[in-house]
Amino acid sequence: MTLSARTVELLPEWNSFREEVVARPPDGGTACTAWTVRDVVAHQAGNAQELGRILAAHLAGGPVPDTRTFEEREPAFRSLPDTDLLPTLDREVGVLVDVLEQAKSSDPEAMVPWTGRRMKVAWFAEHMREELILHRWDIVGDDRAGTEQLEQPWLTDHSVEAVGAPL
């Protein structure tokens, strides 16, 4: 997949994550012992789709639907053949990037319902970026690129402010 400039701008960790997925067999293991690389890809497709779905509803003026659980959003991706899963992830990330691009002209501080709490519009891109970083680590483990990604101050801020504090 050729990365668009928008993808690189909005989800700079996408390329690093995708390269590692492509370099491994779908049934390869991960640090999440119950998950294979394939499971992580299905999870990421569900994340991208759900982040885009919720943010798009907000940007369209609502109502914002309830966030679907992993059990509700991932089975469709898990049931895909291996040959279709990565192109589907690419498509879902592309749709999310379109929504994130639209969000750039909205109020970044506006609060949107997300998984039983509220998340700022600006945090939707950060949340997908965090998912890419953490699940890349699940696939690769400790390496220089992963360490550099995990050391970024915004990642800690997002984990505390957007994920931890509302919980």
Side-chain angles (χ1 to χ4, degrees), residues 10-158:
L10 297 168
L11 302 173
E13 296 79 13
W14 168 245
N15 193 37
S16 178
F17 172 83
R18 192 177 188 287
E19 285 175 1
E20 296 301 338
V21 166
V22 169
R24 287 164 173 73
D27 62 351
T30 71
C32 293
T33 57
W35 280 10
T36 63
V37 171
R38 178 183 212 300
D39 295 322
V40 170
V41 173
H43 176 69
Q44 293 290 52
N47 287 336
Q49 183 183 68
E50 197 65 6
L51 286 162
R53 186 178 82 94
I54 298 297
L55 185 56
H58 167 77
L59 296 173
V64 175
D66 289 339
T67 308
R68 295 176 298 164
T69 65
F70 298 131
E71 293 79 17
E72 294 171 310
R73 62 190 187 218
E74 291 180 16
F77 301 112
R78 291 181 186 276
S79 68
L80 292 172
D82 289 345
T83 55
D84 294 345
L85 187 54
L86 190 56
T88 300
L89 174 62
D90 292 340
R91 185 183 67 244
E92 294 299 337
V93 167
V95 170
L96 174 60
V97 166
D98 289 343
V99 175
L100 294 173
E101 183 70 30
Q102 294 169 19
K104 288 169 62 175
S105 62
S106 71
D107 178 4
E109 298 295 312
M111 298 300 279
V112 181
W114 176 255
T115 64
R117 57 191 188 270
R118 299 178 69 70
M119 193 160 78
K120 292 178 184 179
V121 166
W123 289 345
F124 278 75
E126 285 184 2
H127 198 69
M128 189 65 197
R129 292 178 65 197
E130 179 183 56
E131 290 282 338
L132 292 168
I133 291 169
L134 296 177
H135 289 299
R136 181 192 178 281
W137 182 88
D138 288 336
I139 293 169
V140 177
D142 292 329
D143 71 349
R144 187 169 146 239
T147 299
E148 289 173 1
Q149 290 176 352
L150 288 165
E151 288 177 338
Q152 297 177 75
W154 73 264
L155 182 65
T156 302
D157 292 345
H158 180 81

